[in-house]
Amino acid sequence: MKFATIGHLLDENTLRQLPASWIQHDFIISPELDVYGTKGHLSGILITAKAMMTQPRSAVRQKILDAALFLQNEYAVDVVQLGALTTSVTNGGKWLTDQHQYNGYVNHGDSYTAAVTCQTVRKVLSMVHRDPADLTLAIVGAYGIIGEAVSKLIVPQFSHSILIGRDQSKFDKLEKSLTGNFETTVKLVTQNADVVVTATSHPTALLGSEHLKKNAIVVDVSQPVNLAIDVCRARPDVCRVDGGLVDFPVPIPIPGMPPGKNFACIAEVIMQALKEEKQHHVGSIELDHLHLTEAWGIEYGFLLNELTNFGTPIFQ
Ligand SMILES: NC(=O)c1ccc[n+]([C@@H]2O[C@H](COP(=O)([O-])OP(=O)(O)OC[C@H]3O[C@@H](n4cnc5c(N)ncnc54)[C@H](OP(=O)(O)O)[C@@H]3O)[C@@H](O)[C@H]2O)c1
């Protein structure tokens, strides 16, 4: 199977980081990649995260569909991965699977990202010798696709969890599926949390210094990031960890990506293509599939290893 990612510009600067030869017919498309014999492309649409979330939803969705059709018709792509906020604006990818002109498979890549996020939380706590049973967790974006799966997997391990969203009515489904000691809120009340996981569709940084407890650990999965580098500089006590990054032994030319690393979501679609798995993975994450992606990650060596903050190793 041939794979492609569909991303977008994170901000106005992203375009400058891309080689000019990657821009074709209003789309971003990389040269063909070869990962262990499976071929594919990185691709994207030319709009920023802010525009993704503020332009009319129908117009943004049309751009994503146009990109999927371009990849299908011009590059014979079989499976597309919805990168960054393209999942958020397509109802978790379900909208794209309903478009009859697109015949391929759709994967949001969030299953392996959620798995790696949980691994990251466990790993950073073991590095600092802290037991989650003694700690308070906050998940920002808790009923989103990644947030929901991460909540199911790690809330039971913490002393207390604060699950944060924007719409109280959207917590119903999550509350029914969770065990453990937790509260839900639409207020950004992370200031008492020892560990904060961000997985939001907010298109810019969200957490300021005032939102963070002394020595807080923040696993920032969001792209664009929810905890900016200037807050990290102002708060050296805070440990920000890049969420959703894995080792990737095959060079992959993602602008801004630390060498040898890749997003877990991109690794997931590449693993799907390597496995020739002809299925959609959209909407809520099936935990069995999440665990399968972890097994694939072990098989291909796309693993969480060193923890980084904006690409710099944290524990040397
Ligand atoms: N690092 C990686 O490898 C990787 C991989 C995949 C995705 N991501 C990133 O992970 C994030 C989440 O992705 P997803 O697919 O799970 O998206 P999603 O399903 O759209 O979930 C995002 C959630 O964030 C909530 N939200 C938005 N703004 C918020 C705010 N100000 N306060 C609290 N909650 C807020 C949304 O609430 P409403 O539903 O009420 O709007 C939504 O439920 C995105 O930033 C994406 O780019 C990273």
Side-chain angles (χ1 to χ4, degrees), residues 78-214:
D78 304 293
V79 55
V80 295
Q81 183 263 323
L82 293 173
L85 304 181
T86 59
T87 299
S88 303
V89 298
T90 55
N91 190 20
K94 289 186 199 163
W95 177 85
L96 185 55
T97 62
D98 291 339
Q99 305 311 303
H100 63 89
Q101 309 99 301
Y102 177 67
N103 306 313
Y105 299 98
V106 181
N107 185 342
H108 47 42
D110 283 355
S111 305
Y112 196 41
T113 302
V116 170
T117 302
C118 297
Q119 293 174 12
T120 305
V121 170
R122 289 186 206 111
K123 182 155 192 161
V124 68
L125 289 179
S126 91
M127 299 298 280
V128 296
H129 309 291
R130 303 293 304 272
D131 182 347
D134 301 329
L135 302 175
T136 295
L137 167 73
I139 301 181
V140 194
Y143 54 68
I145 292 177
I146 295 170
E148 179 190 55
V150 170
S151 298
K152 286 180 188 168
L153 291 169
I154 63 172
V155 163
Q157 295 162 15
F158 279 81
S159 165
H160 182 65
S161 298
I162 305 160
L163 305 179
I164 301 169
R166 293 197 289 200
D167 178 346
Q168 194 63 43
S169 69
K170 292 193 190 175
F171 278 113
D172 285 357
K173 184 172 151 238
L174 179 63
E175 281 172 350
K176 288 187 185 114
S177 64
L178 278 191
T179 56
N181 178 357
F182 65 89
E183 63 185 290
T184 60
T185 176
V186 293
K187 295 191 182 122
L188 191 55
V189 282
T190 52
Q191 65 274 10
N192 294 322
D194 304 289
V195 178
V196 181
V197 174
T198 77
T200 81
S201 49
H202 189 81
T204 55
L206 192 58
L207 297 173
S209 184
E210 69 280 12
H211 296 114
L212 299 170
K213 185 176 174 177
K214 188 165 171 50

Side-chain angles (χ1 to χ4, degrees), residues 35-36 112 246-249 267 270-271 274 297-298 300-304:
V35 183
Y36 304 145
Y112 196 41
V246 289
D247 285 358
F248 205 77
I270 293 173
M271 295 191 293
L274 282 161
I298 294 168
Y300 294 112
F302 303 156
L303 294 171
L304 175 73

